[in-house]
PDB file of all heavy atoms in Angstrom:
ATOM      1  N   LYS A   1     -58.846  33.395  37.031  1.00  0.00           N
ATOM      2  CA  LYS A   1     -59.377  33.987  35.800  1.00  0.00           C
ATOM      3  C   LYS A   1     -60.291  32.984  35.113  1.00  0.00           C
ATOM      4  O   LYS A   1     -59.897  32.307  34.158  1.00  0.00           O
ATOM      5  CB  LYS A   1     -58.236  34.409  34.877  1.00  0.00           C
ATOM      6  CG  LYS A   1     -57.308  35.464  35.466  1.00  0.00           C
ATOM      7  CD  LYS A   1     -56.142  35.777  34.548  1.00  0.00           C
ATOM      8  CE  LYS A   1     -55.191  36.772  35.183  1.00  0.00           C
ATOM      9  NZ  LYS A   1     -54.007  37.042  34.323  1.00  0.00           N
ATOM     10  N   PRO A   2     -61.508  32.837  35.598  1.00  0.00           N
ATOM     11  CA  PRO A   2     -62.432  31.866  34.993  1.00  0.00           C
ATOM     12  C   PRO A   2     -62.898  32.314  33.608  1.00  0.00           C
ATOM     13  O   PRO A   2     -62.762  33.480  33.226  1.00  0.00           O
ATOM     14  CB  PRO A   2     -63.596  31.834  35.986  1.00  0.00           C
ATOM     15  CG  PRO A   2     -63.565  33.181  36.631  1.00  0.00           C
ATOM     16  CD  PRO A   2     -62.111  33.558  36.718  1.00  0.00           C
ATOM     17  N   ILE A   3     -63.440  31.362  32.885  1.00  0.00           N
ATOM     18  CA  ILE A   3     -64.031  31.629  31.567  1.00  0.00           C
ATOM     19  C   ILE A   3     -65.497  32.003  31.777  1.00  0.00           C
ATOM     20  O   ILE A   3     -66.228  31.323  32.490  1.00  0.00           O
ATOM     21  CB  ILE A   3     -63.925  30.399  30.669  1.00  0.00           C
ATOM     22  CG1 ILE A   3     -62.463  29.928  30.576  1.00  0.00           C
ATOM     23  CG2 ILE A   3     -64.507  30.682  29.286  1.00  0.00           C
ATOM     24  CD1 ILE A   3     -61.524  30.911  29.943  1.00  0.00           C
ATOM     25  N   VAL A   4     -65.909  33.079  31.149  1.00  0.00           N
ATOM     26  CA  VAL A   4     -67.284  33.547  31.277  1.00  0.00           C
ATOM     27  C   VAL A   4     -67.887  33.655  29.892  1.00  0.00           C
ATOM     28  O   VAL A   4     -67.247  34.133  28.952  1.00  0.00           O
ATOM     29  CB  VAL A   4     -67.340  34.923  31.987  1.00  0.00           C
ATOM     30  CG1 VAL A   4     -68.770  35.405  32.122  1.00  0.00           C
ATOM     31  CG2 VAL A   4     -66.671  34.843  33.350  1.00  0.00           C
ATOM     32  N   ALA A   5     -69.103  33.191  29.738  1.00  0.00           N
ATOM     33  CA  ALA A   5     -69.777  33.269  28.445  1.00  0.00           C
ATOM     34  C   ALA A   5     -69.949  34.719  28.031  1.00  0.00           C
ATOM     35  O   ALA A   5     -70.435  35.529  28.821  1.00  0.00           O
ATOM     36  CB  ALA A   5     -71.134  32.574  28.510  1.00  0.00           C
ATOM     37  N   PRO A   6     -69.579  35.061  26.795  1.00  0.00           N
ATOM     38  CA  PRO A   6     -69.751  36.442  26.325  1.00  0.00           C
ATOM     39  C   PRO A   6     -71.196  36.717  25.953  1.00  0.00           C
ATOM     40  O   PRO A   6     -72.011  35.789  25.874  1.00  0.00           O
ATOM     41  CB  PRO A   6     -68.851  36.479  25.085  1.00  0.00           C
ATOM     42  CG  PRO A   6     -68.907  35.083  24.562  1.00  0.00           C
ATOM     43  CD  PRO A   6     -68.998  34.188  25.775  1.00  0.00           C
ATOM     44  N   PRO A   7     -71.534  37.980  25.735  1.00  0.00           N
ATOM     45  CA  PRO A   7     -72.877  38.280  25.228  1.00  0.00           C
ATOM     46  C   PRO A   7     -73.150  37.510  23.954  1.00  0.00           C
ATOM     47  O   PRO A   7     -72.241  37.206  23.188  1.00  0.00           O
ATOM     48  CB  PRO A   7     -72.829  39.803  24.977  1.00  0.00           C
ATOM     49  CG  PRO A   7     -71.736  40.288  25.886  1.00  0.00           C
ATOM     50  CD  PRO A   7     -70.724  39.187  25.923  1.00  0.00           C
ATOM     51  N   ARG A   8     -74.395  37.190  23.738  1.00  0.00           N
ATOM     52  CA  ARG A   8     -74.738  36.326  22.607  1.00  0.00           C
ATOM     53  C   ARG A   8     -74.287  36.868  21.270  1.00  0.00           C
ATOM     54  O   ARG A   8     -73.959  36.116  20.369  1.00  0.00           O
ATOM     55  CB  ARG A   8     -76.258  36.097  22.564  1.00  0.00           C
ATOM     56  CG  ARG A   8     -76.823  35.431  23.782  1.00  0.00           C
ATOM     57  CD  ARG A   8     -76.183  34.075  24.046  1.00  0.00           C
ATOM     58  NE  ARG A   8     -76.378  33.122  22.974  1.00  0.00           N
ATOM     59  CZ  ARG A   8     -75.895  31.887  22.975  1.00  0.00           C
ATOM     60  NH1 ARG A   8     -75.175  31.474  23.998  1.00  0.00           N
ATOM     61  NH2 ARG A   8     -76.106  31.072  21.966  1.00  0.00           N
ATOM     62  N   ASP A   9     -74.233  38.192  21.086  1.00  0.00           N
ATOM     63  CA  ASP A   9     -73.851  38.735  19.781  1.00  0.00           C
ATOM     64  C   ASP A   9     -72.360  38.625  19.523  1.00  0.00           C
ATOM     65  O   ASP A   9     -71.891  38.923  18.425  1.00  0.00           O
ATOM     66  CB  ASP A   9     -74.298  40.196  19.632  1.00  0.00           C
ATOM     67  CG  ASP A   9     -73.736  41.094  20.721  1.00  0.00           C
ATOM     68  OD1 ASP A   9     -73.074  40.563  21.628  1.00  0.00           O
ATOM     69  OD2 ASP A   9     -73.970  42.308  20.651  1.00  0.00           O
ATOM     70  N   THR A  10     -71.574  38.181  20.499  1.00  0.00           N
ATOM     71  CA  THR A  10     -70.138  38.021  20.274  1.00  0.00           C
ATOM     72  C   THR A  10     -69.707  36.561  20.285  1.00  0.00           C
ATOM     73  O   THR A  10     -68.543  36.256  20.146  1.00  0.00           O
ATOM     74  CB  THR A  10     -69.321  38.767  21.347  1.00  0.00           C
ATOM     75  OG1 THR A  10     -69.556  38.146  22.623  1.00  0.00           O
ATOM     76  CG2 THR A  10     -69.691  40.227  21.406  1.00  0.00           C
ATOM     77  N   VAL A  11     -70.660  35.650  20.415  1.00  0.00           N
ATOM     78  CA  VAL A  11     -70.326  34.229  20.481  1.00  0.00           C
ATOM     79  C   VAL A  11     -69.595  33.767  19.240  1.00  0.00           C
ATOM     80  O   VAL A  11     -68.645  32.989  19.300  1.00  0.00           O
ATOM     81  CB  VAL A  11     -71.600  33.402  20.697  1.00  0.00           C
ATOM     82  CG1 VAL A  11     -71.320  31.921  20.463  1.00  0.00           C
ATOM     83  CG2 VAL A  11     -72.137  33.610  22.094  1.00  0.00           C
ATOM     84  N   ALA A  12     -69.996  34.248  18.089  1.00  0.00           N
ATOM     85  CA  ALA A  12     -69.380  33.793  16.844  1.00  0.00           C
ATOM     86  C   ALA A  12     -67.900  34.103  16.802  1.00  0.00           C
ATOM     87  O   ALA A  12     -67.145  33.464  16.067  1.00  0.00           O
ATOM     88  CB  ALA A  12     -70.087  34.441  15.649  1.00  0.00           C
ATOM     89  N   ASP A  13     -67.447  35.108  17.554  1.00  0.00           N
ATOM     90  CA  ASP A  13     -66.030  35.477  17.529  1.00  0.00           C
ATOM     91  C   ASP A  13     -65.196  34.651  18.500  1.00  0.00           C
ATOM     92  O   ASP A  13     -63.985  34.776  18.528  1.00  0.00           O
ATOM     93  CB  ASP A  13     -65.874  36.965  17.894  1.00  0.00           C
ATOM     94  CG  ASP A  13     -66.585  37.870  16.898  1.00  0.00           C
ATOM     95  OD1 ASP A  13     -66.641  37.501  15.716  1.00  0.00           O
ATOM     96  OD2 ASP A  13     -67.082  38.916  17.331  1.00  0.00           O
ATOM     97  N   THR A  14     -65.815  33.800  19.292  1.00  0.00           N
ATOM     98  CA  THR A  14     -65.074  33.085  20.331  1.00  0.00           C
ATOM     99  C   THR A  14     -64.878  31.612  20.044  1.00  0.00           C
ATOM    100  O   THR A  14     -64.135  30.946  20.742  1.00  0.00           O
ATOM    101  CB  THR A  14     -65.811  33.210  21.674  1.00  0.00           C
ATOM    102  OG1 THR A  14     -67.060  32.515  21.586  1.00  0.00           O
ATOM    103  CG2 THR A  14     -66.043  34.660  22.047  1.00  0.00           C
ATOM    104  N   LEU A  15     -65.521  31.085  19.016  1.00  0.00           N
ATOM    105  CA  LEU A  15     -65.473  29.653  18.752  1.00  0.00           C
ATOM    106  C   LEU A  15     -65.069  29.378  17.304  1.00  0.00           C
ATOM    107  O   LEU A  15     -65.086  30.266  16.463  1.00  0.00           O
ATOM    108  CB  LEU A  15     -66.852  29.036  19.002  1.00  0.00           C
ATOM    109  CG  LEU A  15     -67.337  29.050  20.445  1.00  0.00           C
ATOM    110  CD1 LEU A  15     -68.793  28.627  20.497  1.00  0.00           C
ATOM    111  CD2 LEU A  15     -66.489  28.122  21.290  1.00  0.00           C
ATOM    112  N   PRO A  16     -64.693  28.135  16.965  1.00  0.00           N
ATOM    113  CA  PRO A  16     -64.461  27.784  15.576  1.00  0.00           C
ATOM    114  C   PRO A  16     -65.668  28.147  14.726  1.00  0.00           C
ATOM    115  O   PRO A  16     -66.808  28.174  15.204  1.00  0.00           O
ATOM    116  CB  PRO A  16     -64.252  26.264  15.638  1.00  0.00           C
ATOM    117  CG  PRO A  16     -63.721  26.034  17.020  1.00  0.00           C
ATOM    118  CD  PRO A  16     -64.431  27.043  17.883  1.00  0.00           C
ATOM    119  N   ALA A  17     -65.431  28.400  13.458  1.00  0.00           N
ATOM    120  CA  ALA A  17     -66.426  29.025  12.607  1.00  0.00           C
ATOM    121  C   ALA A  17     -67.691  28.199  12.400  1.00  0.00           C
ATOM    122  O   ALA A  17     -68.794  28.727  12.433  1.00  0.00           O
ATOM    123  CB  ALA A  17     -65.801  29.353  11.249  1.00  0.00           C
ATOM    124  N   ALA A  18     -67.545  26.885  12.171  1.00  0.00           N
ATOM    125  CA  ALA A  18     -68.702  26.127  11.715  1.00  0.00           C
ATOM    126  C   ALA A  18     -69.248  25.205  12.786  1.00  0.00           C
ATOM    127  O   ALA A  18     -68.506  24.634  13.573  1.00  0.00           O
ATOM    128  CB  ALA A  18     -68.334  25.316  10.479  1.00  0.00           C
ATOM    129  N   GLY A  19     -70.549  25.065  12.808  1.00  0.00           N
ATOM    130  CA  GLY A  19     -71.191  23.994  13.548  1.00  0.00           C
ATOM    131  C   GLY A  19     -71.446  24.220  15.013  1.00  0.00           C
ATOM    132  O   GLY A  19     -72.149  23.423  15.631  1.00  0.00           O
ATOM    133  N   ASP A  20     -70.927  25.259  15.616  1.00  0.00           N
ATOM    134  CA  ASP A  20     -71.005  25.360  17.063  1.00  0.00           C
ATOM    135  C   ASP A  20     -72.351  25.798  17.587  1.00  0.00           C
ATOM    136  O   ASP A  20     -72.752  25.388  18.657  1.00  0.00           O
ATOM    137  CB  ASP A  20     -69.934  26.323  17.572  1.00  0.00           C
ATOM    138  CG  ASP A  20     -68.562  25.728  17.415  1.00  0.00           C
ATOM    139  OD1 ASP A  20     -68.161  24.956  18.284  1.00  0.00           O
ATOM    140  OD2 ASP A  20     -67.935  26.014  16.393  1.00  0.00           O
ATOM    141  N   SER A  21     -73.036  26.663  16.843  1.00  0.00           N
ATOM    142  CA  SER A  21     -74.291  27.177  17.356  1.00  0.00           C
ATOM    143  C   SER A  21     -75.473  26.263  17.049  1.00  0.00           C
ATOM    144  O   SER A  21     -76.551  26.439  17.584  1.00  0.00           O
ATOM    145  CB  SER A  21     -74.554  28.582  16.782  1.00  0.00           C
ATOM    146  OG  SER A  21     -74.610  28.517  15.374  1.00  0.00           O
ATOM    147  N   ALA A  22     -75.264  25.270  16.163  1.00  0.00           N
ATOM    148  CA  ALA A  22     -76.357  24.370  15.812  1.00  0.00           C
ATOM    149  C   ALA A  22     -76.579  23.351  16.917  1.00  0.00           C
ATOM    150  O   ALA A  22     -75.622  22.869  17.513  1.00  0.00           O
ATOM    151  CB  ALA A  22     -76.034  23.656  14.501  1.00  0.00           C
ATOM    152  N   PRO A  23     -77.817  23.017  17.216  1.00  0.00           N
ATOM    153  CA  PRO A  23     -78.061  22.002  18.260  1.00  0.00           C
ATOM    154  C   PRO A  23     -77.534  20.651  17.823  1.00  0.00           C
ATOM    155  O   PRO A  23     -77.579  20.309  16.649  1.00  0.00           O
ATOM    156  CB  PRO A  23     -79.593  22.001  18.385  1.00  0.00           C
ATOM    157  CG  PRO A  23     -80.081  22.520  17.077  1.00  0.00           C
ATOM    158  CD  PRO A  23     -79.061  23.515  16.621  1.00  0.00           C
ATOM    159  N   PRO A  24     -76.987  19.872  18.731  1.00  0.00           N
ATOM    160  CA  PRO A  24     -76.450  18.577  18.367  1.00  0.00           C
ATOM    161  C   PRO A  24     -77.548  17.627  17.905  1.00  0.00           C
ATOM    162  O   PRO A  24     -78.675  17.659  18.404  1.00  0.00           O
ATOM    163  CB  PRO A  24     -75.818  18.083  19.664  1.00  0.00           C
ATOM    164  CG  PRO A  24     -76.552  18.804  20.734  1.00  0.00           C
ATOM    165  CD  PRO A  24     -76.880  20.149  20.160  1.00  0.00           C
ATOM    166  N   LYS A  25     -77.215  16.788  16.928  1.00  0.00           N
ATOM    167  CA  LYS A  25     -78.151  15.760  16.492  1.00  0.00           C
ATOM    168  C   LYS A  25     -78.235  14.677  17.565  1.00  0.00           C
ATOM    169  O   LYS A  25     -77.244  14.340  18.189  1.00  0.00           O
ATOM    170  CB  LYS A  25     -77.687  15.154  15.167  1.00  0.00           C
ATOM    171  CG  LYS A  25     -77.685  16.144  14.006  1.00  0.00           C
ATOM    172  CD  LYS A  25     -77.251  15.463  12.729  1.00  0.00           C
ATOM    173  CE  LYS A  25     -77.264  16.440  11.557  1.00  0.00           C
ATOM    174  NZ  LYS A  25     -76.835  15.787  10.300  1.00  0.00           N
TER     175      LYS A  25
END
């Protein structure tokens, strides 16, 4: 049962709320 990236419009529901979608400094 591998992990598969969800569609982009559901990404916010799969990760901690803050900071994940921003590009790293």
